[in-house]
mmCIF file of all heavy atoms in Angstrom:
data_model
loop_
_atom_site.group_PDB
_atom_site.id
_atom_site.type_symbol
_atom_site.label_atom_id
_atom_site.label_comp_id
_atom_site.label_asym_id
_atom_site.label_seq_id
_atom_site.Cartn_x
_atom_site.Cartn_y
_atom_site.Cartn_z
ATOM 1 N N GLY A 69 10.603 -44.145 -37.379
ATOM 2 C CA GLY A 69 11.087 -42.803 -37.089
ATOM 3 C C GLY A 69 11.552 -42.606 -35.664
ATOM 4 O O GLY A 69 11.736 -41.472 -35.213
ATOM 5 N N ILE A 70 11.767 -43.715 -34.937
ATOM 6 C CA ILE A 70 12.272 -43.641 -33.558
ATOM 7 C C ILE A 70 13.770 -43.921 -33.592
ATOM 8 O O ILE A 70 14.199 -45.005 -33.991
ATOM 9 C CB ILE A 70 11.557 -44.664 -32.651
ATOM 10 C CG1 ILE A 70 10.059 -44.362 -32.580
ATOM 11 C CG2 ILE A 70 12.174 -44.673 -31.252
ATOM 12 C CD1 ILE A 70 9.246 -45.436 -31.900
ATOM 13 N N TYR A 71 14.554 -42.944 -33.177
ATOM 14 C CA TYR A 71 16.003 -43.065 -33.276
ATOM 15 C C TYR A 71 16.706 -42.956 -31.925
ATOM 16 O O TYR A 71 17.926 -42.827 -31.884
ATOM 17 C CB TYR A 71 16.550 -42.001 -34.229
ATOM 18 C CG TYR A 71 16.110 -42.196 -35.657
ATOM 19 C CD1 TYR A 71 15.045 -41.462 -36.175
ATOM 20 C CD2 TYR A 71 16.729 -43.140 -36.471
ATOM 21 C CE1 TYR A 71 14.620 -41.648 -37.484
ATOM 22 C CE2 TYR A 71 16.318 -43.328 -37.782
ATOM 23 C CZ TYR A 71 15.264 -42.583 -38.289
ATOM 24 O OH TYR A 71 14.847 -42.781 -39.580
ATOM 25 N N ALA A 72 15.960 -43.020 -30.846
ATOM 26 C CA ALA A 72 16.558 -42.948 -29.510
ATOM 27 C C ALA A 72 16.068 -44.127 -28.685
ATOM 28 O O ALA A 72 14.856 -44.343 -28.550
ATOM 29 C CB ALA A 72 16.196 -41.636 -28.814
ATOM 30 N N ILE A 73 17.008 -44.908 -28.153
ATOM 31 C CA ILE A 73 16.664 -46.056 -27.318
ATOM 32 C C ILE A 73 17.413 -45.953 -25.995
ATOM 33 O O ILE A 73 18.476 -45.333 -25.906
ATOM 34 C CB ILE A 73 16.986 -47.407 -27.998
ATOM 35 C CG1 ILE A 73 18.483 -47.516 -28.331
ATOM 36 C CG2 ILE A 73 16.117 -47.598 -29.236
ATOM 37 C CD1 ILE A 73 18.891 -48.891 -28.856
ATOM 38 N N LEU A 74 16.834 -46.578 -24.967
ATOM 39 C CA LEU A 74 17.474 -46.715 -23.656
ATOM 40 C C LEU A 74 17.760 -48.199 -23.467
ATOM 41 O O LEU A 74 16.826 -49.004 -23.385
ATOM 42 C CB LEU A 74 16.568 -46.179 -22.554
ATOM 43 C CG LEU A 74 17.085 -46.272 -21.120
ATOM 44 C CD1 LEU A 74 18.402 -45.536 -20.947
ATOM 45 C CD2 LEU A 74 16.042 -45.737 -20.132
ATOM 46 N N LEU A 75 19.032 -48.552 -23.424
ATOM 47 C CA LEU A 75 19.443 -49.956 -23.452
ATOM 48 C C LEU A 75 19.762 -50.461 -22.048
ATOM 49 O O LEU A 75 20.552 -49.858 -21.327
ATOM 50 C CB LEU A 75 20.671 -50.103 -24.354
ATOM 51 C CG LEU A 75 21.181 -51.517 -24.601
ATOM 52 C CD1 LEU A 75 20.150 -52.358 -25.372
ATOM 53 C CD2 LEU A 75 22.507 -51.473 -25.378
ATOM 54 N N PHE A 76 19.148 -51.612 -21.709
ATOM 55 C CA PHE A 76 19.406 -52.301 -20.447
ATOM 56 C C PHE A 76 20.021 -53.662 -20.764
ATOM 57 O O PHE A 76 19.504 -54.396 -21.614
ATOM 58 C CB PHE A 76 18.104 -52.529 -19.672
ATOM 59 C CG PHE A 76 17.435 -51.276 -19.188
ATOM 60 C CD1 PHE A 76 16.557 -50.584 -20.005
ATOM 61 C CD2 PHE A 76 17.672 -50.787 -17.908
ATOM 62 C CE1 PHE A 76 15.925 -49.429 -19.573
ATOM 63 C CE2 PHE A 76 17.048 -49.634 -17.460
ATOM 64 C CZ PHE A 76 16.180 -48.947 -18.296
ATOM 65 N N GLY A 77 21.095 -54.000 -20.065
ATOM 66 C CA GLY A 77 21.704 -55.313 -20.216
ATOM 67 C C GLY A 77 21.262 -56.253 -19.107
ATOM 68 O O GLY A 77 21.224 -55.862 -17.937
ATOM 69 N N ILE A 78 20.919 -57.493 -19.493
ATOM 70 C CA ILE A 78 20.467 -58.491 -18.511
ATOM 71 C C ILE A 78 21.367 -59.717 -18.627
ATOM 72 O O ILE A 78 21.234 -60.511 -19.565
ATOM 73 C CB ILE A 78 19.003 -58.886 -18.754
ATOM 74 C CG1 ILE A 78 18.120 -57.632 -18.794
ATOM 75 C CG2 ILE A 78 18.525 -59.851 -17.665
ATOM 76 C CD1 ILE A 78 16.711 -57.907 -19.244
ATOM 77 N N PRO A 79 22.312 -59.885 -17.719
ATOM 78 C CA PRO A 79 23.236 -61.023 -17.803
ATOM 79 C C PRO A 79 22.602 -62.320 -17.318
ATOM 80 O O PRO A 79 21.538 -62.322 -16.694
ATOM 81 C CB PRO A 79 24.370 -60.596 -16.870
ATOM 82 C CG PRO A 79 23.702 -59.730 -15.851
ATOM 83 C CD PRO A 79 22.598 -59.004 -16.583
ATOM 84 N N ASN A 80 23.271 -63.411 -17.618
ATOM 85 C CA ASN A 80 22.868 -64.691 -17.045
ATOM 86 C C ASN A 80 23.115 -64.675 -15.537
ATOM 87 O O ASN A 80 24.031 -63.999 -15.049
ATOM 88 C CB ASN A 80 23.685 -65.830 -17.668
ATOM 89 C CG ASN A 80 23.356 -66.045 -19.130
ATOM 90 O OD1 ASN A 80 22.225 -65.861 -19.568
ATOM 91 N ND2 ASN A 80 24.365 -66.427 -19.906
ATOM 92 N N ASP A 81 22.321 -65.435 -14.803
ATOM 93 C CA ASP A 81 22.500 -65.496 -13.345
ATOM 94 C C ASP A 81 23.908 -65.958 -12.972
ATOM 95 O O ASP A 81 24.472 -65.512 -11.969
ATOM 96 C CB ASP A 81 21.467 -66.444 -12.720
ATOM 97 C CG ASP A 81 20.066 -65.846 -12.706
ATOM 98 O OD1 ASP A 81 19.936 -64.620 -12.906
ATOM 99 O OD2 ASP A 81 19.101 -66.612 -12.498
ATOM 100 N N SER A 82 24.487 -66.829 -13.804
ATOM 101 C CA SER A 82 25.821 -67.351 -13.502
ATOM 102 C C SER A 82 26.905 -66.285 -13.603
ATOM 103 O O SER A 82 28.018 -66.472 -13.100
ATOM 104 C CB SER A 82 26.151 -68.512 -14.452
ATOM 105 O OG SER A 82 26.094 -68.081 -15.807
ATOM 106 N N ASP A 83 26.599 -65.157 -14.260
ATOM 107 C CA ASP A 83 27.573 -64.067 -14.404
ATOM 108 C C ASP A 83 27.450 -63.019 -13.297
ATOM 109 O O ASP A 83 28.221 -62.050 -13.278
ATOM 110 C CB ASP A 83 27.404 -63.391 -15.765
ATOM 111 C CG ASP A 83 27.848 -64.270 -16.920
ATOM 112 O OD1 ASP A 83 28.876 -64.954 -16.762
ATOM 113 O OD2 ASP A 83 27.170 -64.282 -17.958
ATOM 114 N N LYS A 84 26.494 -63.193 -12.398
ATOM 115 C CA LYS A 84 26.294 -62.214 -11.342
ATOM 116 C C LYS A 84 27.154 -62.554 -10.122
ATOM 117 O O LYS A 84 27.386 -63.725 -9.825
ATOM 118 C CB LYS A 84 24.819 -62.176 -10.925
ATOM 119 C CG LYS A 84 23.877 -61.761 -12.049
ATOM 120 C CD LYS A 84 22.424 -61.710 -11.573
ATOM 121 C CE LYS A 84 21.484 -61.304 -12.701
ATOM 122 N NZ LYS A 84 20.082 -61.143 -12.246
ATOM 123 N N ASP A 85 27.627 -61.520 -9.428
ATOM 124 C CA ASP A 85 28.332 -61.721 -8.166
ATOM 125 C C ASP A 85 27.991 -60.577 -7.222
ATOM 126 O O ASP A 85 27.164 -59.710 -7.546
ATOM 127 C CB ASP A 85 29.845 -61.871 -8.367
ATOM 128 C CG ASP A 85 30.497 -60.644 -8.983
ATOM 129 O OD1 ASP A 85 29.919 -59.537 -8.882
ATOM 130 O OD2 ASP A 85 31.591 -60.769 -9.572
ATOM 131 N N SER A 86 28.621 -60.541 -6.070
ATOM 132 C CA SER A 86 28.227 -59.584 -5.036
ATOM 133 C C SER A 86 28.568 -58.143 -5.388
ATOM 134 O O SER A 86 28.000 -57.214 -4.807
ATOM 135 C CB SER A 86 28.888 -59.955 -3.700
ATOM 136 O OG SER A 86 30.302 -59.865 -3.816
ATOM 137 N N ILE A 87 29.489 -57.926 -6.331
ATOM 138 C CA ILE A 87 29.886 -56.555 -6.670
ATOM 139 C C ILE A 87 29.573 -56.202 -8.130
ATOM 140 O O ILE A 87 29.980 -55.144 -8.614
ATOM 141 C CB ILE A 87 31.385 -56.324 -6.386
ATOM 142 C CG1 ILE A 87 32.266 -57.272 -7.208
ATOM 143 C CG2 ILE A 87 31.662 -56.462 -4.893
ATOM 144 C CD1 ILE A 87 33.756 -56.944 -7.129
ATOM 145 N N GLY A 88 28.868 -57.074 -8.835
ATOM 146 C CA GLY A 88 28.484 -56.771 -10.210
ATOM 147 C C GLY A 88 29.655 -56.639 -11.158
ATOM 148 O O GLY A 88 29.633 -55.825 -12.093
ATOM 149 N N SER A 89 30.697 -57.451 -10.965
ATOM 150 C CA SER A 89 31.935 -57.289 -11.733
ATOM 151 C C SER A 89 31.741 -57.515 -13.227
ATOM 152 O O SER A 89 32.481 -56.957 -14.052
ATOM 153 C CB SER A 89 33.021 -58.224 -11.182
ATOM 154 O OG SER A 89 32.583 -59.567 -11.191
ATOM 155 N N TYR A 90 30.733 -58.305 -13.612
ATOM 156 C CA TYR A 90 30.490 -58.556 -15.043
ATOM 157 C C TYR A 90 30.150 -57.275 -15.786
ATOM 158 O O TYR A 90 30.424 -57.144 -16.981
ATOM 159 C CB TYR A 90 29.356 -59.579 -15.183
ATOM 160 C CG TYR A 90 29.003 -59.964 -16.603
ATOM 161 C CD1 TYR A 90 29.921 -60.618 -17.424
ATOM 162 C CD2 TYR A 90 27.737 -59.705 -17.123
ATOM 163 C CE1 TYR A 90 29.590 -60.980 -18.713
ATOM 164 C CE2 TYR A 90 27.390 -60.073 -18.409
ATOM 165 C CZ TYR A 90 28.326 -60.707 -19.203
ATOM 166 O OH TYR A 90 27.995 -61.065 -20.485
ATOM 167 N N ALA A 91 29.588 -56.298 -15.083
ATOM 168 C CA ALA A 91 29.265 -55.011 -15.714
ATOM 169 C C ALA A 91 30.512 -54.267 -16.157
ATOM 170 O O ALA A 91 30.427 -53.341 -16.974
ATOM 171 C CB ALA A 91 28.461 -54.141 -14.748
ATOM 172 N N LEU A 92 31.674 -54.663 -15.639
ATOM 173 C CA LEU A 92 32.931 -53.987 -15.964
ATOM 174 C C LEU A 92 33.732 -54.729 -17.022
ATOM 175 O O LEU A 92 34.887 -54.394 -17.290
ATOM 176 C CB LEU A 92 33.773 -53.821 -14.692
ATOM 177 C CG LEU A 92 33.063 -53.139 -13.514
ATOM 178 C CD1 LEU A 92 33.987 -53.058 -12.307
ATOM 179 C CD2 LEU A 92 32.564 -51.756 -13.903
ATOM 180 N N SER A 93 33.097 -55.717 -17.661
ATOM 181 C CA SER A 93 33.777 -56.516 -18.680
ATOM 182 C C SER A 93 33.472 -56.000 -20.079
ATOM 183 O O SER A 93 32.325 -55.657 -20.392
ATOM 184 C CB SER A 93 33.332 -57.981 -18.569
ATOM 185 O OG SER A 93 33.742 -58.720 -19.709
ATOM 186 N N GLN A 94 34.502 -55.972 -20.931
ATOM 187 C CA GLN A 94 34.295 -55.614 -22.336
ATOM 188 C C GLN A 94 33.372 -56.599 -23.044
ATOM 189 O O GLN A 94 32.803 -56.283 -24.084
ATOM 190 C CB GLN A 94 35.649 -55.581 -23.063
ATOM 191 C CG GLN A 94 36.566 -54.448 -22.635
ATOM 192 C CD GLN A 94 36.190 -53.118 -23.269
ATOM 193 O OE1 GLN A 94 35.308 -53.058 -24.110
ATOM 194 N NE2 GLN A 94 36.852 -52.060 -22.854
ATOM 195 N N ASN A 95 33.226 -57.782 -22.472
ATOM 196 C CA ASN A 95 32.368 -58.814 -23.060
ATOM 197 C C ASN A 95 31.013 -58.918 -22.371
ATOM 198 O O ASN A 95 30.290 -59.895 -22.579
ATOM 199 C CB ASN A 95 33.074 -60.172 -23.027
ATOM 200 C CG ASN A 95 34.262 -60.203 -23.965
ATOM 201 O OD1 ASN A 95 34.175 -59.754 -25.097
ATOM 202 N ND2 ASN A 95 35.388 -60.724 -23.481
#
Side-chain angles (χ1 to χ4, degrees):
I70 298 171
Y71 294 99
I73 59 173
L74 179 58
L75 185 65
F76 294 87
I78 306 171
N80 292 327
D81 287 345
S82 59
D83 290 320
K84 298 181 180 184
D85 62 22
S86 63
I87 60 171
S89 56
Y90 181 64
L92 307 179
S93 167
Q94 291 281 354
N95 292 315

